[in-house]
Amino acid sequence: MFESLPLIVDLKRGSVEDGPGIRTTVFFKGCPLSCKWCQNPETIELKPEIGFYLKDCIGCFDCERACQKGAIIREAKVRINRLRCSACGRCVEVCPGKGLRQVGRFYEIGVLVDIILRDRAFYETSGGGVTLSGGEPTLWQTYAGELLRRLKIEGIHTTLQTCGYFEYATFKEKMLPWLDLIMYDLKLISPKEHLQHTGRNNQRILKNLQRLLNEGIEVIPRIPLVPGFTTSKENLEGISNFLKKNKVKEYSLLPYNPLGLEKWKHLGKKRPLLPTTWMSKSEEESCRKALLKNDVTPK
């Protein structure tokens, strides 16, 4: 398990998609997986990055004068020579149009809690709370656990979104006591395909889910539906069999959408070869039928 000071990519206030009610979602930077379809590529790497947003660039080139590495490119739409860039952030500090943005910053836990509590009234009236997402929050179990503990002291409902690739004993000690809900991703049931498409074997992920199902905490498995990767009949029926074996009756589906594709370009990375359109209702329904095979019900 990696343990250091985490970078936070975003604080998404007013979210209604990351757990019950109105929530603030805290996106941690860094992930042990490298899924080929990642919707949040800015959260994969542990280190800070600089994003370039062409539509917000006003062409002043104050960034060029501020950069000590000679990494600013005037003529190209990409703007940054990534081989020279050290992500020091000097260009971001002088950019008036926010065409250049720092991806990832550190928050002292007390500062982060203060920001989160600004929306306490929304949590209380909607049955919402705070969700830790990413990336993968369990890379920083000491920090994330202390954040969760302070939120529980304040009476805030807490949720974790996780890929499941973590050291279980440490997780059980540092994070689990302060969680109300875990949203747990199940991507591919085949160990070989999981390794091929995410960079990691799935044995730890499946074992951790089985352990959590016996802990008495609410766990909602989530299945991303990514055409060409996770939507085969064999994969979905295999996941359905696994869920039935472990007495899971409900889970949620995450139909593919192309909204994350532009993020790769902002980071100067090659965009993955994925559909540029939303998953159709008929495609989604075919996936549902494969999963309903064993009387488990998608939400």
Side-chain angles (χ1 to χ4, degrees), residues 17-19 27 30-35 37-40 43 131-138 159-166 171 181-190 194 198 200-210 212-213 218-226 230 235-236 239 242-243 248 250-255 291:
E17 301 173 344
D18 299 312
F27 290 89
C31 186
L33 305 187
S34 52
C35 302
W37 57 83
C38 183
Q39 292 283 292
N40 296 315
T43 68
T131 299
L132 306 190
S133 188
E136 181 51 52
T138 63
T159 294
L160 171 68
Q161 292 179 343
T162 179
C163 72
Y165 196 89
F166 52 77
F171 174 80
L181 169 65
I182 298 175
M183 304 173 82
Y184 198 103
D185 288 355
L186 279 180
K187 301 174 172 70
L188 292 158
I189 200 68
S190 161
H194 201 280
T198 75
R200 297 279 190 177
N201 188 285
N202 65 355
Q203 290 181 352
R204 171 184 279 190
I205 294 169
L206 298 178
K207 182 63 175 178
N208 282 348
L209 177 56
Q210 290 172 320
L212 283 173
L213 291 171
E218 184 180 6
V219 181
I220 301 178
R222 304 191 308 169
I223 303 169
L225 302 179
V226 186
T230 69
N235 183 56
L236 295 176
I239 290 176
F242 176 83
L243 294 175
V248 176
E250 292 187 347
Y251 53 91
S252 65
L253 301 181
L254 303 176
L291 288 161

Side-chain angles (χ1 to χ4, degrees), residues 20-263:
I22 298 173
R23 312 188 71 79
T24 295
T25 305
V26 183
F27 290 89
F28 285 70
K29 198 170 188 338
C31 186
L33 305 187
S34 52
C35 302
K36 294 180 178 179
W37 57 83
C38 183
Q39 292 283 292
N40 296 315
E42 73 278 16
T43 68
I44 296 175
E45 295 191 22
L46 292 166
K47 64 184 181 181
E49 296 175 272
I50 304 296
F52 175 60
Y53 302 81
L54 180 61
K55 65 181 180 61
D56 296 319
C57 176
I58 64 174
C60 67
F61 289 99
D62 288 350
C63 54
E64 183 181 42
R65 291 182 284 275
C67 180
Q68 297 180 0
K69 301 290 185 179
I72 300 300
I73 307 171
R74 273 185 175 255
E75 294 79 14
K77 292 182 179 180
V78 294
R79 190 63 79 243
I80 302 172
N81 181 333
R82 300 285 173 175
L83 296 177
R84 292 184 175 183
C85 179
S86 64
C88 68
R90 291 187 178 92
C91 59
V92 175
E93 293 172 1
V94 301
C95 181
K98 305 300 180 184
L100 292 164
R101 305 175 199 170
Q102 187 92 27
V103 182
R105 59 168 292 189
F106 174 70
Y107 289 83
E108 295 286 350
I109 291 180
V111 172
L112 188 52
V113 170
D114 288 343
I115 294 172
I116 289 170
L117 292 181
R118 294 173 189 172
D119 291 334
R120 183 198 289 271
F122 295 102
Y123 311 147
E124 292 176 347
T125 57
S126 69
V130 175
T131 299
L132 306 190
S133 188
E136 181 51 52
T138 63
L139 287 176
W140 300 272
Q141 297 201 32
T142 300
Y143 179 99
E146 178 60 15
L147 173 60
L148 291 167
R149 187 187 72 83
R150 295 195 194 185
L151 292 173
K152 290 311 300 175
I153 289 173
E154 296 289 340
I156 304 299
H157 182 278
T158 57
T159 294
L160 171 68
Q161 292 179 343
T162 179
C163 72
Y165 196 89
F166 52 77
E167 202 284 314
Y168 194 84
T170 307
F171 174 80
K172 184 174 180 178
E173 174 192 352
K174 294 188 174 183
M175 293 184 66
L176 187 58
W178 316 112
L179 283 165
D180 297 303
L181 169 65
I182 298 175
M183 304 173 82
Y184 198 103
D185 288 355
L186 279 180
K187 301 174 172 70
L188 292 158
I189 200 68
S190 161
K192 181 179 178 180
E193 290 186 5
H194 201 280
L195 177 62
Q196 178 184 356
H197 296 307
T198 75
R200 297 279 190 177
N201 188 285
N202 65 355
Q203 290 181 352
R204 171 184 279 190
I205 294 169
L206 298 178
K207 182 63 175 178
N208 282 348
L209 177 56
Q210 290 172 320
R211 289 168 170 168
L212 283 173
L213 291 171
N214 293 318
E215 293 285 1
I217 185 174
E218 184 180 6
V219 181
I220 301 178
R222 304 191 308 169
I223 303 169
L225 302 179
V226 186
F229 291 98
T230 69
T231 55
S232 70
K233 181 179 180 182
E234 293 76 16
N235 183 56
L236 295 176
E237 289 187 354
I239 290 176
S240 180
N241 289 334
F242 176 83
L243 294 175
K244 183 179 182 181
K245 177 181 177 181
N246 289 280
K247 299 181 173 56
V248 176
K249 292 296 185 182
E250 292 187 347
Y251 53 91
S252 65
L253 301 181
L254 303 176
Y256 173 79
N257 73 70
L259 296 180
L261 291 178
E262 282 297 298
K263 296 180 180 182

